[in-house]
Amino acid sequence: MSASNKPIRSRMVPEQRQALIISAAIDIFSTSAYEATPLARIAKAAGTSEALIHKYFDNKATLYAQALAATYRELRERQKDADHPEHATRERICTGLLVYLDFLAEQPPGWAAILAHPGNEPQPAVEVRTNAIQDYASTIVDMIGGIHLDRDLYAINGFFGFLAVACLRWIEQGCPEDHRHSLIDAALGGLQGALGDWRSYAVHLASTHNKTAHHIGARFQRHTVQTVLLAT
């Protein structure tokens, strides 16, 4: 083949290359445990080399954490776009949950399970997940009008714990469409019952709110809900 007939390779910009590597990593991590996944396998899936992966990511832990961060970032953007602050509290939380379930159903099943319920992860990923929980917790706290009682704090913690286990069960069953509203109704009913009512206070202390949101994320990571999933 003459030089003039050789195919022209397009050169990717760094952002495109990073996105390609992250996409390949998500596909691989969805079917292979973090500890058992060599970078060489991800490099092959991305059509690149380990050396090039190391150019963009310090190590496998960093790549895993950035893949998790990119996924959470997309999820939160969708939830924020779908939110209507003028709507009732219950409706706003319901909308966020519908977006969350839609998002989980779009992911490779193994990756969706990782998003819903944490397993053994490297420390950078733990930090990413904690920050994501804090961000969503902050949103829910705003929606209910702030934390005013210890009961409120337990209610929010219980809400996140329920979601982790219930969504994992839903994913394991194949994300059945006819179970979506049952799951959401259970989550909303549990939160409303725990709070005592859907509250919408006009004024609350921002410092209390921020401190509480951080506390929720950290405690949820330290105290993973241990639940026996009953066989169907």
Side-chain angles (χ1 to χ4, degrees):
M1 181 181 292
S2 65
S4 60
N5 292 328
K6 288 183 179 179
I8 299 175
R9 293 184 179 181
S10 59
R11 183 180 295 276
M12 290 187 180
V13 299
E15 292 78 11
Q16 291 175 317
R17 180 66 69 184
Q18 286 178 299
L20 179 64
I21 293 170
I22 285 175
S23 178
I26 289 173
D27 287 341
I28 298 301
F29 286 131
S30 70
T31 59
S32 178
Y34 170 79
E35 298 87 349
T37 303
L39 272 180
R41 185 178 174 191
I42 297 173
K44 183 178 180 180
T48 188
S49 65
E50 286 187 67
L52 192 56
I53 289 181
H54 281 295
K55 178 180 178 180
Y56 297 113
F57 307 95
D58 291 340
N59 47 44
K60 185 173 70 170
T62 301
L63 172 56
Y64 184 95
Q66 291 201 27
L68 197 62
T71 308
Y72 275 128
R73 192 159 50 245
E74 181 181 353
L75 168 61
R76 292 298 292 130
E77 286 173 358
R78 291 194 194 183
Q79 287 177 318
K80 290 173 183 177
D81 287 343
D83 183 39
H84 293 279
E86 71 276 11
H87 289 177
T89 300
R90 189 182 194 280
E91 186 177 352
R92 293 179 67 193
I93 297 176
C94 179
T95 297
L97 291 177
L98 283 168
V99 171
Y100 181 45
L101 293 188
D102 283 343
F103 189 78
L104 290 177
E106 293 174 11
Q107 307 304 310
W111 190 247
I114 288 171
L115 292 176
H117 199 288
N120 294 325
E121 296 180 319
Q123 186 57 36
V126 172
E127 294 170 3
V128 166
R129 191 182 295 275
T130 299
N131 289 336
I133 292 171
Q134 288 174 198
D135 181 52
Y136 192 30
S138 176
T139 299
I140 299 297
V141 167
D142 271 340
M143 288 180 181
I144 67 172
I147 297 294
H148 299 269
L149 302 169
D150 287 340
R151 173 177 179 167
D152 301 339
L153 179 60
Y154 285 117
I156 298 296
N157 273 275
F159 175 74
F160 279 97
F162 173 83
L163 277 183
V165 177
C167 288
L168 179 61
R169 176 65 176 268
W170 185 67
I171 292 163
E172 290 173 343
Q173 292 181 332
C175 301
E177 178 68 23
D178 58 341
H179 288 191
R180 284 161 47 95
H181 288 287
S182 295
L183 193 162
I184 289 173
D185 285 346
L188 292 173
L191 180 57
Q192 182 176 9
L195 289 170
D197 193 9
W198 293 117
R199 299 159 306 124
S200 182
Y201 299 116
V203 179
H204 62 278
L205 294 176
S207 60
T208 301
H209 147 69
N210 291 332
K211 181 179 179 181
T212 301
H214 176 82
H215 188 51
I216 290 167
R219 282 181 56 182
F220 184 76
Q221 276 302 126
R222 290 198 302 267
H223 304 293
T224 303
V225 177
Q226 299 296 324
T227 301
V228 177
L229 297 179
L230 301 179
T232 55

